[in-house]
Amino acid sequence: MEENIQTTQMFVDKYVDNLASSTAIKKAALLLQHQQVVAFPTETVYGLGGNALSDEAIRKIFTAKGRPADNPLIVHITDEAQLDELVDEVPPSARVLLDAFWPGPLTVTLPVQKHVSSFVTAGLSTIGVRMPRHPVAKAVIAEAGLPIAAPSANRSGRPSPTTAAHVATDLQGKIAGIVDGGPTGIGLESTVLHCEHQQVTILRPGGITRQAIQEVVDLPVIDGFTSLDVQTPQAPGMKYRHYAPQAVLYLVEGSLSHIQQHITARQETGEKVGMLATEESKDRYDADVVLSTGSRSDLLTISRQLYSTLRRFDDTNVTEIYSEVFPEDGIGAAIMNRLRKSAGGRRLQLSDR
Ligand code: TXA
Ligand code: MG
């Protein structure tokens, strides 16, 4: 049985001059120092923080999320000096990237020091480290004075939370607190990079694009996520999914009229159909629920709104959702990576036979 605990909501205005003196930040820091777990906003998504040096706190993170123990956590810091107590070495390729993108939505995996708990790294020889730039995340971590392990603050398998309300939906009664600092900015998680002397591998595409990475490193930048990205389609509900809404999601490619024919045919079999559309297309579909995730001409807005749009379908009665696809340039790589995972590889190509 999971314990049912009191979840304290703490509000903070990220624009106040001296965040460190805010009661919410002080309270959150105190809870973290007492090995409790607390959610707070970062510039990507809300994180569920715990003292990275405490097995007790780490165990609470895994329990609250229902996260498989073999999935390692990212440790968040506010000062590069904190790297000295976590990692053995920072290769030059990583140094260049940290200088360019920290604080920001970049996680690097580096050789971990022996004393760091294998609960954090899931037994790997590397540890993922990130220095966030969101003022509330910075204030909480600095005030706690600890490296803070923080996965996204969702139940495992669900879309990551971009508001405090999303966190509460998933984790109310399972965590000590939620610091509400408003909606996050980027909306998709950080880019995770493995930095070696000869090459840089993108383990997860995210807020920092491949193009931006290639601009600062001279080494080859390899995509390390494509092979893990596409899963073979299986029966709905039989597959382990990530970032997933409750209804079954399909990615769909084809002309608007083909997609509409498919929606109508599914409705005739009794399905309640949701369509994940864009500003440009939303008025042209006739489905049970049509939600726009932003304008095609502005992929940053689509990235910011993707998870909240997926979650909005949970408040409707749709039984299946069809999503348009997006070009994979820039942040589009991260958008499509998350959509493919949400769909568990289900993809329809609709055309005339
Ligand atoms: O933007 C973000 O990164 C957010 C915010 C809260 O900072 N955090 C986040 O954490 O997305 P999480 O736990 O949901 O995702 C961490 C990802 C997982 O895919 C995990 O497998 C990978 O990073 N990861 C962590 N440490 C790793 C390591 N040492 N080697 C390879 N992958 C690692
Ligand atoms: Mg996550």
Side-chain angles (χ1 to χ4, degrees):
M1 275 289 287
E2 286 171 21
E3 13 176 9
N4 200 351
I5 54 178
Q6 175 82 32
T7 303
T8 311
Q9 301 273 346
M10 295 164 272
F11 293 89
V12 61
D13 178 358
K14 70 174 178 180
Y15 297 109
V16 303
D17 285 346
N18 188 2
L19 268 177
S21 66
S22 117
T23 7
I25 302 289
K26 282 200 192 316
K27 204 162 167 182
L30 203 64
L31 287 167
L32 290 168
Q33 287 163 349
H34 285 86
Q35 326 314 342
Q36 299 298 322
V37 295
V38 178
F40 55 82
T42 81
E43 68 275 24
T44 57
V45 299
Y46 273 72
L48 179 60
N51 177 358
L53 306 175
S54 157
D55 281 355
E56 183 190 345
I58 302 303
R59 184 183 56 76
K60 286 180 183 165
I61 292 177
F62 277 92
T63 306
K65 281 185 60 85
R67 182 179 178 105
D70 63 359
N71 197 358
L73 304 181
I74 295 172
V75 175
H76 296 64
I77 59 176
T78 50
D79 183 341
E80 268 192 44
Q82 289 173 290
L83 277 178
D84 298 343
E85 51 177 330
L86 297 170
V87 311
D88 273 332
E89 189 210 347
V90 182
S93 61
R95 176 62 59 198
V96 171
L97 287 157
L98 306 191
D99 288 346
F101 300 115
W102 275 8
L106 177 75
T107 299
V108 289
T109 67
L110 297 167
V112 68
Q113 280 183 27
K114 276 205 188 64
H115 73 91
V116 177
S117 169
S118 63
F119 288 141
V120 175
T121 58
L124 298 178
S125 59
T126 58
I127 184 168
V129 191
R130 167 158 120 80
M131 187 188 288
R133 71 162 177 247
H134 192 290
V136 174
K138 279 163 65 176
V140 169
I141 300 164
E143 188 67 17
L146 293 165
I148 298 293
S152 49
N154 51 285
R155 284 285 290 179
S156 208
R158 300 264 299 140
S160 297
T162 56
T163 66
H166 295 161
V167 179
T169 301
D170 281 16
L171 299 177
Q172 185 85 40
K174 297 187 167 71
I175 61 177
I178 303 173
V179 182
D180 185 345
T184 60
I186 296 167
L188 297 177
E189 303 84 347
S190 63
T191 304
V192 181
L193 295 181
H194 183 55
C195 300
E196 292 166 302
H197 289 274
Q198 302 306 325
Q199 68 180 46
V200 170
T201 309
I202 304 178
L203 300 180
R204 177 177 72 181
I208 303 286
T209 64
R210 157 186 248 296
Q211 292 86 334
I213 295 161
Q214 192 68 78
E215 269 172 33
V216 300
V217 288
D218 284 334
L219 302 174
V221 179
I222 314 291
D223 282 344
F225 59 92
T226 28
S227 56
L228 303 169
D229 200 8
V230 189
Q231 301 169 345
T232 36
Q234 276 184 17
M238 293 286 292
K239 174 164 289 302
Y240 175 70
R241 288 193 292 162
H242 247 109
Y243 316 117
Q246 277 151 16
V248 186
L249 178 73
Y250 297 82
L251 304 191
V252 61
E253 268 180 289
S255 68
L256 218 121
S257 66
H258 282 121
I259 298 175
Q260 184 57 52
Q261 274 172 28
H262 185 76
I263 293 172
T264 308
R266 296 301 293 167
Q267 287 174 319
E268 281 165 7
T269 70
E271 300 290 345
K272 294 276 181 232
V273 178
M275 185 71 212
L276 187 88
T278 55
E279 286 304 297
E280 288 80 1
S281 64
K282 65 176 183 191
D283 296 327
R284 303 175 63 193
Y285 293 111
D286 183 11
D288 292 278
V289 177
V290 182
L291 296 178
S292 162
T293 183
S295 166
R296 264 186 187 276
S297 64
D298 179 7
L299 287 182
L300 288 176
T301 302
I302 291 186
S303 142
R304 185 176 318 126
Q305 298 183 353
L306 182 65
Y307 287 147
S308 59
T309 312
L310 287 172
R311 279 178 181 261
R312 278 168 62 203
F313 280 111
D314 292 345
D315 300 327
T316 72
N317 63 351
V318 300
T319 52
E320 39 188 59
I321 304 166
Y322 294 87
S323 172
E324 293 183 4
V325 297
F326 297 94
E328 308 227 10
D329 322 322
I331 191 83
I335 293 172
M336 284 306 296
N337 170 264
R338 303 312 191 275
L339 271 175
R340 272 196 284 270
K341 293 220 170 175
S342 308
R346 280 176 292 271
R347 190 180 187 112
L348 293 179
Q349 203 106 33
L350 301 177
S351 57
D352 284 323
R353 290 177 163 258

